[in-house]
Amino acid sequence: MAYLHTQPPMRDLDNVVDKFKERLAETHQRLVDKAHLAKLEAAEMSEAQKRGVEEFKYSTNDAMFTAMGY
């Protein structure tokens, strides 16, 4: 925190999230937000019900991304 207090305030604070998302898109990284996590949780609950188990979790990132709509 001491280091951060030595830095000037960000000039374009309103656009930080948008710029971050743009940078992730440029590097082909996927951003998971609360809405995506809610989709994943719903998909896992649905899959658990289909399988007749108490809990289900996807075993790979790709499966999770697919469940989230990526």
Side-chain angles (χ1 to χ4, degrees), residues 29-51:
Q29 299 297 313
R30 294 176 269 199
L31 177 65
V32 176
D33 59 17
K34 284 185 176 184
H36 289 105
L37 290 177
K39 287 180 185 179
L40 176 61
E41 185 177 73
E44 288 176 335
M45 288 173 62
S46 175
E47 192 63 31
Q49 288 177 346
K50 287 179 191 174
R51 295 174 182 230

Side-chain angles (χ1 to χ4, degrees), residues 1-8:
M1 290 300 293
Y3 168 76
L4 292 177
H5 288 296
T6 67
Q7 300 303 302

